[in-house]
Amino acid sequence: MVVRPQFRGMRIAHHLYKGLEDAARNAGLGMLSSRVSVHNVASVSALHRAGWSVYVQSPTTLRTIRKLTDDAVR
């Protein structure tokens, strides 16, 4: 996902993540996951603020996870 510079700081990414979570829940999914570059500070911050967990996957990549239900598989 990319938010153009003139629209950053308006919580657009946050609302897109929440919409994605709602759609995934409605589809019966229990968890979402993505990979983000360790250098992409804006995305990591937006995901963290939206409630996603962030883990180091490699020296250059972070893995993000959002459990949508209490019984989601890790």
Side-chain angles (χ1 to χ4, degrees), residues 3 5-6 10 13 16 22 34 37-38 44 47 49-50 53-54 56 58 60 62 65-66 68 70 72-74:
V3 177
Q6 66 266 33
M10 301 171 72
L16 289 171
D22 290 343
S34 70
S37 167
V38 296
V44 172
L47 285 159
R49 280 191 308 271
S53 298
V54 180
V56 175
S58 76
T60 60
L62 300 173
I65 298 171
R66 177 69 165 136
L68 304 172
D70 290 334
V73 178
R74 289 186 172 239

Side-chain angles (χ1 to χ4, degrees), residues 10-50:
M10 301 171 72
R11 298 181 52 93
I12 292 172
H14 175 84
H15 292 294
L16 289 171
Y17 288 128
K18 291 301 184 181
L20 174 65
E21 293 171 21
D22 290 343
R25 258 188 223 94
N26 290 338
L29 297 177
M31 183 177 68
L32 292 171
S33 175
S34 70
R35 291 186 188 105
V36 180
S37 167
V38 296
H39 304 292
N40 192 341
V41 176
S43 287
V44 172
S45 294
L47 285 159
H48 194 269
R49 280 191 308 271

